[in-house]
Amino acid sequence: MNAIILAAGVGSRLKNFTKNKPKCLVEVNGQAILKYQIDSYLNVGVKQIYIVLGYKGELIKKYISKTYKEKEKINFIINNHFDSTNNMYSLSLCKHLKNKSDKYFISNADVVFDSSILID
């Protein structure tokens, strides 16, 4: 099992919170939204996590580098057109990852969830 996290968006509806950081780094209860997702995926044994970056993607890379020891499990795909496309375009950038035997969780990076909802 692998995971794709769509994190390229600007988060325009959260303007006050996303002026200086991407929406997935907005904190909920003292923790970045992205951390909830990555921790949940790692807790259920996801082998590889692919994060599609766009708006302020370098901040996400820096956050991952500081926060996770399992860096080899976390990969980045860049959406250079994040300001004029949507999450379906970001997902289409991942189509090269798909093998017939692979299964993927797909999540938008602005959703908080717990690993208990992830079932195979």
Side-chain angles (χ1 to χ4, degrees), residues 1-4 48 50 97-99 102-106:
M1 200 60 140
N2 299 305
I4 296 171
Q48 293 291 307
Y50 299 91
L97 302 173
K98 186 73 176 126
N99 292 324
D102 290 343
K103 294 181 182 179
Y104 286 85
F105 291 112
I106 299 171

Side-chain angles (χ1 to χ4, degrees), residues 19-88:
K19 182 178 178 181
N20 298 312
K21 62 183 164 188
K23 60 186 172 183
C24 66
L25 296 184
V26 170
E27 292 188 357
V28 174
N29 289 330
Q31 182 171 286
I33 294 170
L34 185 61
K35 186 166 182 5
Y36 285 99
Q37 289 196 17
I38 292 174
D39 289 354
S40 292
Y41 287 137
L42 293 174
N43 285 339
V44 298
V46 164
K47 291 183 173 95
Q48 293 291 307
I49 299 171
Y50 299 91
I51 304 174
V52 182
L53 303 176
Y55 177 71
K56 299 198 181 287
E58 289 304 315
L59 292 177
I60 297 172
K61 285 182 176 181
K62 184 184 274 187
Y63 175 81
I64 296 298
S65 179
K66 281 179 29 182
T67 308
Y68 289 96
K69 293 178 183 172
E70 304 91 344
K71 292 175 194 59
E72 73 282 352
K73 292 184 176 186
I74 302 172
N75 310 278
F76 302 107
I77 297 168
I78 308 299
N79 177 351
N80 290 315
H81 305 288
F82 68 89
D83 56 347
S84 62
T85 60
N86 60 26
N87 63 354
M88 290 298 101

Side-chain angles (χ1 to χ4, degrees), residues 95-113:
K95 65 184 172 188
H96 68 281
L97 302 173
K98 186 73 176 126
N99 292 324
K100 290 183 181 181
S101 62
D102 290 343
K103 294 181 182 179
Y104 286 85
F105 291 112
I106 299 171
S107 58
N108 289 313
D110 57 352
V111 179
V112 175
F113 61 82

